[in-house]
C-alpha cells in the first residue's frame, strides 16, 4: 500500500510540473507577453510552504544550473562536471526521435565536448530564466525561458520545461528537458570538428 501511495505521489508531482508547461494556448500567450515585473508579481503571489533542507539545497542547485548553463557568464565545465553527477541521464523526450544526450552509467565525454563546442558556434547567447519552479524532496520541475542568439545572429526566445532529480550529494542524476523538436543534425556544420564528432556519436548511441 505504501509503495502504491508513493507511486501515486510521484505521478501527481510530475503531472503538476508538466502542467506549468502544457497550459492553455490563451494563457500561454498571455504569459509569453508578460513583462519581468508581471512575472515577478506572479511568483510572489504564490504562497510558500515550509521547505526541507534538502529542498532548499536542490532549489539552490537549480539556480546554479541556470547560471552555469547561461552564456555569457556561465561555466560549462562546472555545469557538466560538478552540477551533474558522474553517472547521469540527460534526455530530450520531445526530440524527433527522442534523444539521450547521456545515459546513466555511460561517459559524459561527448556531451562535455558538445557543450563546450556549441558556445560561440551553435549560439552566441543562451541566457536561462527560471519562471515557475515546483520542488518536492529530490525532484524539481521548472518552466524556463531561454533567451538565445544563434550563430547567424538570429535572436529568439525558447520556452522549455525541465524535470530534474538530485542524488544525496545534491547533484543531478536525471534531467528530462522538454524543448520541442530539434533537428540536431542541422547543427553539425556550425560546430568545430570535435563538436561534430561528439554530436554524431550522441545521435548514433541511441
Amino acid at each position: 500500500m505504501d509503495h502504491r501511495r508513493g507511486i501515486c505521489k510521484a505521478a501527481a508531482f510530475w503531472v503538476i510540473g508538466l502542467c506549468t508547461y502544457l497550459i492553455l494556448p490563451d494563457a500561454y500567450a498571455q504569459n509569453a507577453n508578460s513583462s519581468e515585473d508581471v512575472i515577478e508579481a506572479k511568483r510572489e503571489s504564490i504562497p510558500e510552504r515550509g521547505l526541507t533542507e534538502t529542498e532548499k539545497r536542490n532549489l539552490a542547485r537549480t539556480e546554479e544550473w541556470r547560471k552555469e548553463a547561461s552564456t555569457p557568464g556561465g561555466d560549462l565545465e562546472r555545469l557538466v562536471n560538478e552540477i551533474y553527477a558522474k553517472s547521469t541521464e540527460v534526455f530530450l523526450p520531445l526530440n524527433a526521435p527522442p534523444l539521450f544526450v547521456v545515459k546513466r552509467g555511460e561517459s559524459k565525454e561527448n556531451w562535455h565536448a558538445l557543450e563546450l563546442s556549441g558556445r560561440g558556434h551553435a549560439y552566441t547567447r543562451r541566457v536561462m530564466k527560471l519562471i515557475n519552479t515546483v520542488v518536492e524532496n529530490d525532484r524539481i520541475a521548472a518552466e524556463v525561458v531561454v533567451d538565445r542568439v544563434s550563430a547567424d545572429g538570429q535572436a529568439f526566445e525558447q520556452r522549455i520545461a525541465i524535470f530534474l532529480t538530485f542524488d544525496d550529494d545534491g547533484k543531478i542524476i536525471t534531467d528530462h528537458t522538454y524543448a520541442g523538436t530539434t533537428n540536431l543534425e542541422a547543427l553539425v556544420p556550425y560546430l568545430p570538428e570535435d563538436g561534430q564528432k561528439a554530436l554524431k556519436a550522441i545521435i548514433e548511441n541511441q
Side-chain angles (χ1 to χ4, degrees), residues 10-101:
F13 171 80
W14 293 123
V15 169
I16 291 171
L18 184 58
C19 283
T20 66
Y21 181 66
L22 301 175
I23 53 182
L24 295 174
D26 290 345
Y28 185 87
Q30 181 180 5
N31 195 32
N33 294 324
S34 297
S35 67
E36 290 296 325
D37 291 340
V38 172
I39 291 174
E40 186 61 31
K42 289 180 180 178
R43 180 183 295 147
E44 292 178 354
S45 69
I46 300 174
E48 294 187 359
R49 64 172 174 84
L51 298 178
T52 66
E53 292 304 312
T54 295
E55 290 171 336
K56 291 177 182 178
R57 179 203 66 191
N58 292 341
L59 280 172
R61 293 294 278 180
T62 303
E63 173 58 25
E64 292 180 46
W65 170 90
R66 180 207 65 77
K67 176 184 175 182
E68 305 301 12
S70 294
T71 297
D75 185 341
L76 295 178
E77 287 277 2
R78 182 167 185 264
L79 174 73
V80 175
N81 295 324
E82 297 182 31
I83 303 299
Y84 287 82
K86 182 177 181 180
S87 177
T88 192
E89 174 183 290
V90 179
F91 181 50
L92 306 178
L94 295 185
N95 203 69
L99 184 82
F100 284 94
V101 180

Side-chain angles (χ1 to χ4, degrees), residues 54-55 57-58 136-140 164-167 173:
T54 295
E55 290 171 336
R57 179 203 66 191
N58 292 341
E136 183 180 18
N137 299 326
D138 60 354
R139 293 164 294 179
I140 292 275
L164 307 175
T165 306
F166 296 82
D167 65 13
I173 54 175

Side-chain angles (χ1 to χ4, degrees), residues 114 117 121-122 183-201 203:
L114 180 60
S117 64
H121 293 91
N183 181 8
L184 293 177
E185 291 184 350
L187 295 177
V188 171
Y190 294 98
L191 299 173
E193 184 177 355
D194 57 341
Q196 292 183 17
K197 290 180 178 179
L199 179 53
K200 290 176 180 178
I203 293 173

